[in-house]
């Protein structure tokens, strides 16, 4: 369907359903959802001319002397909110951010992903993503107390969290987001809702919507949902394992029927690219100080840079091939967390994998042993490196990476480094309750 036809269909759908307001959504560089609301009478103007706003007030966007920005709604993203707001029916659309002359704005995270997808398309590929987002339900944002003491796949009865998950799945389906399944995770009151594989841009939009829906349903029921990577000391952190594959000419480019593990040469080179750049892209896939309290050995979080079939201690896992399911051949990157900016995270993953394909990188042998149980000497002898141990180390790796700079573009790359360096400095110089409790009585 042509753009003008999509716009016409969107306007018609909104008026037919008697929608009163439309939330226009976009994302700042850190991955926070931004929104402003228009009345239905302004819809046609917004769809054809866009809506202007001050970009200098958005994290990572324009400097004040070049602050005029325009949000152009993408009619293909139109959805009706599955709940009414004070009786009003409300719709949502994601926007692309453009300059006054109509050209794409380089710091718009959605454009960053579009640009990387265009590069994949030039090589003949379409990028598909399937994320597994974990999160915690807590009693409140001030009181990090879980609602239950259940663990992985536990079946609980008369449980508020089970009802919250079901209500969330229903809401996601009304947003047009297909859910594969949901379940209790390892931590107390930790849960996971897995999304059906989709093209990467659509999935990045879906991840942003998912986070809103999870939090909204929780708030409606008097509890708090958090995607913080490590909200509870001594318990499992929340990850976002990302299943990914490339399709070419309508077929899965990662599948090879002749290979022992049904992995094509492109898939192996893609994995090799991910491994080669794993330390460089970590600041983007795990962008918070708190992210590195999840990336520690002992909590099933991936720390060591290697790959394996079915071995969940490896950074990259290749799920078992099922006969007749060639389209499902994929790789799973296990390090990202659900608090990242999905547009940027998917961009750097794709850039790393494509670099592996372009350079024909050779995939090292897979690891069959539990990497956590190996000694440092054993890991060194196998060439198994470790992810950065904190945000500062990750930023230093990113700063030296030409690949990440190209993937994000100069403006996003430099702003992200500045912002995250400030975050690290604030964290490093702050005196924590742990230090006061431990040292004050002694020193």
């Amino acid at each position: 369907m042509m753009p003008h036809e999509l716009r016409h269909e969107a306007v018609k759908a909104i008026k037919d359903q008697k929608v009163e307001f439309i939330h226009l959504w976009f994302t700042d560089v850190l991955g926070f959802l931004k929104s402003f609301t228009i009345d239905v009478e302004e819809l046609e103007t917004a769809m054809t001319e866009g809506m202007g706003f001050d970009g200098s007030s958005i994290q990572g966007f324009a400097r004040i002397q070049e602050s005029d920005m325009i949000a152009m709604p993408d009619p293909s993203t139109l959805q009706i909110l599955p709940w009414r707001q004070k009786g009003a029916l409300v719709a949502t659309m994601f926007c692309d951010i453009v300059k006054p002359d109509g050209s794409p704005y380089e710091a718009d995270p959605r454009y960053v992903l579009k640009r990387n997808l265009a590069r994949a398309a030039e090589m003949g590929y379409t990028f598909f993503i399937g994320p597994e987002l974990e999160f915690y339900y807590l009693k409140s944002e001030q009181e990090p107390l879980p609602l239950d003491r259940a663990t992985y796949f536990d079946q609980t009865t008369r449980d508020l969290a089970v009802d919250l998950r079901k209500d969330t799945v229903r809401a996601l389906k009304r947003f047009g987001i297909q859910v594969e399944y949901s379940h209790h995770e390892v931590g107390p009151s930790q849960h996971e809702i897995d999304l059906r594989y989709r093209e990467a841009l659509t999935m990045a939009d879906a991840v942003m919507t998912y986070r809103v829906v999870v939090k909204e349903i929780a708030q409606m029921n008097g509890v708090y949902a958090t995607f913080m990577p490590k909200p509870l000391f001594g318990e499992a952190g929340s990850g976002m394992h990302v299943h990914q594959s490339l399709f070419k000419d309508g077929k899965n480019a990662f599948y090879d029927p002749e290979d022992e593990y049904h992995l094509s040469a492109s898939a192996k080179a893609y994995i090799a690219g991910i491994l080669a750049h794993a330390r460089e892209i970590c600041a983007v896939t795990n962008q918070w100080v708190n992210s590195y309290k999840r990336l520690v050995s002992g909590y099933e979080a991936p720390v060591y840079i290697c790959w394996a079939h079915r071995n969940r201690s490896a950074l990259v896992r290749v799920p078992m091939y099922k006969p007749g399911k060639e389209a499902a051949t994929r790789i799973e990157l296990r390090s990202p967390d659900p608090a990242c900016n999905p547009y940027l995270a998917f961009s750097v993953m794709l850039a790393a994998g494509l670099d592996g394909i372009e350079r024909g990188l050779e995939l090292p042998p897979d690891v069959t042993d539990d990497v956590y149980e190996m000694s440092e000497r054993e890991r060194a002898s196998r060439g198994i490196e470790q992810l950065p141990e904190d945000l500062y180390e990750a930023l230093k790796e990113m700063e030296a990476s030409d690949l990440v700079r190209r993937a994000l573009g100069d403006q996003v790359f430099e702003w992200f480094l500045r912002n995250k360096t400030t975050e690290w400095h604030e964290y490093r110089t702050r005196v924590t309750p742990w230090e006061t409790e431990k040292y004050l009585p002694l020193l």
Side-chain angles (χ1 to χ4, degrees):
M1 194 177 291
M2 298 296 288
H4 68 277
E5 294 174 326
L6 277 173
R7 288 196 297 268
H8 175 75
E9 289 297 318
V11 171
K12 184 176 184 301
I14 286 171
K15 291 185 175 179
D16 286 350
Q17 296 192 51
K18 296 182 170 54
V19 170
E20 291 184 59
F21 300 101
I22 302 96
H23 291 327
L24 300 183
W25 286 353
F26 62 97
T27 308
D28 71 11
V29 172
L30 292 179
F32 290 113
L33 190 65
K34 301 296 179 180
S35 174
F36 57 98
T37 305
I38 61 171
D39 186 273
V40 68
E41 278 76 19
E42 295 295 320
L43 177 63
E44 295 199 45
T45 300
M47 297 292 283
T48 54
E49 300 177 15
M51 301 298 291
F53 67 98
D54 178 8
S56 66
S57 299
I58 304 297
Q59 292 271 39
F61 275 28
R63 295 168 294 184
I64 195 143
Q65 68 269 29
E66 50 187 34
S67 59
D68 290 339
M69 294 289 138
I70 296 171
M72 288 295 302
D74 179 347
S76 70
T77 67
L78 171 68
Q79 295 294 341
I80 309 299
L81 278 180
W83 51 79
R84 286 179 175 267
Q85 296 186 333
K86 293 188 176 180
L89 198 59
V90 178
T92 68
M93 276 187 281
F94 281 93
C95 295
D96 293 307
I97 307 304
V98 300
K99 301 174 186 176
D101 65 3
S103 61
Y105 183 55
E106 296 87 345
D108 174 15
R110 205 165 187 261
Y111 174 70
V112 170
L113 180 55
K114 282 185 172 184
R115 186 166 47 74
N116 283 277
L117 293 174
R119 180 166 169 263
E122 289 173 1
M123 299 170 65
Y125 295 121
T126 304
F127 188 37
F128 280 82
I129 290 280
E132 302 173 357
L133 288 92
E134 298 169 344
F135 58 92
Y136 274 85
Y137 288 125
L138 302 173
K139 292 191 176 179
S140 77
E141 59 186 293
Q142 289 86 26
E143 190 179 21
L145 297 175
L147 307 184
D148 63 56
R149 303 304 303 179
T151 188
Y152 191 65
F153 266 44
D154 276 359
Q155 173 63 46
T156 55
T157 58
R158 299 180 184 177
D159 185 352
L160 171 60
V162 174
D163 292 336
L164 290 174
R165 282 208 323 261
K166 289 177 181 176
D167 288 347
T168 301
V169 170
R170 292 188 190 103
L172 288 170
K173 288 174 71 175
R174 289 180 65 183
F175 262 108
I177 298 173
Q178 185 60 43
V179 172
E180 283 195 330
Y181 58 87
S182 65
H183 61 87
H184 201 291
E185 257 297 338
V186 173
S189 206
Q190 186 185 32
H191 298 265
E192 178 176 310
I193 299 174
D194 294 348
L195 304 183
R196 176 72 66 180
Y197 228 47
R198 301 177 82 170
E199 184 274 329
L201 181 63
T202 304
M203 183 56 79
D205 292 340
V207 168
M208 297 302 301
T209 304
Y210 175 112
R211 296 196 301 212
V212 170
V213 171
V214 168
K215 284 181 171 288
E216 186 76 25
I217 297 296
Q219 185 177 347
M220 287 177 177
N221 288 273
V223 300
Y224 181 69
T226 180
F227 292 94
M228 184 176 175
K230 187 78 168 180
L232 301 177
F233 172 72
E235 303 292 352
S238 292
M240 183 180 74
H241 303 162
V242 182
H243 297 255
Q244 48 200 290
S245 62
L246 296 174
F247 275 66
K248 195 170 194 176
D249 299 325
K251 296 181 179 179
N252 192 333
F254 281 6
Y255 175 71
D256 182 354
E258 305 302 322
D259 182 74
E260 179 183 3
Y261 296 109
H262 303 96
L263 279 182
S264 69
S266 294
K268 293 174 183 177
Y270 187 97
I271 298 171
I274 292 283
L275 298 180
H277 297 289
R279 287 177 57 83
E280 300 165 43
I281 68 175
C282 197
V284 180
T285 58
N286 306 82
Q287 70 177 51
W288 305 100
V289 163
N290 181 257
S291 298
Y292 297 85
K293 297 190 176 183
R294 166 183 168 256
L295 293 179
V296 294
S297 183
Y299 292 94
E300 295 190 12
V303 176
Y304 301 109
I305 302 172
C306 58
W307 77 283
H309 298 278
R310 299 184 293 280
N311 184 346
R312 283 177 164 79
S313 68
L315 179 69
V316 176
R317 184 179 77 95
V318 178
M320 181 172 57
Y321 168 73
K322 296 179 181 179
K325 296 286 186 178
E326 292 83 2
T329 303
R330 63 197 187 278
I331 67 116
E332 175 192 8
L333 180 62
R334 297 174 60 80
S335 55
D337 64 54
C340 68
N341 182 330
Y343 301 98
L344 303 187
F346 295 168
S347 292
V348 295
M349 292 176 211
L350 177 60
L354 292 180
D355 184 66
I357 292 174
E358 285 184 313
R359 294 200 286 146
L361 295 182
E362 185 175 348
L363 186 62
D366 64 329
V367 174
T368 56
D369 301 325
D370 187 339
V371 191
Y372 299 134
E373 298 298 323
M374 294 180 187
S375 67
E376 287 189 26
R377 181 174 294 180
E378 285 180 285
R379 287 192 290 268
S381 69
R382 298 192 188 195
I384 299 174
E385 291 187 282
Q386 187 171 340
L387 290 176
E389 292 189 348
D390 55 40
L391 181 60
Y392 177 78
E393 186 180 346
L395 291 171
K396 287 302 178 186
E397 290 284 341
M398 175 182 165
E399 189 174 24
S401 173
D402 290 334
L403 178 129
V404 177
R405 179 181 283 275
R406 289 195 306 272
L408 300 185
D410 287 340
Q411 185 171 336
V412 172
F413 180 85
E414 291 169 5
W415 185 91
F416 189 95
L417 281 174
R418 287 196 303 272
N419 179 276
K420 290 296 162 182
T421 299
T422 299
E423 180 184 335
W424 172 255
H425 178 73
E426 290 175 356
Y427 170 75
R428 187 176 64 85
T429 56
R430 179 162 297 182
V431 178
T432 65
W434 181 90
E435 292 169 281
T436 304
E437 180 182 337
K438 186 171 182 67
Y439 298 131
L440 197 59
L442 300 175
L443 303 178

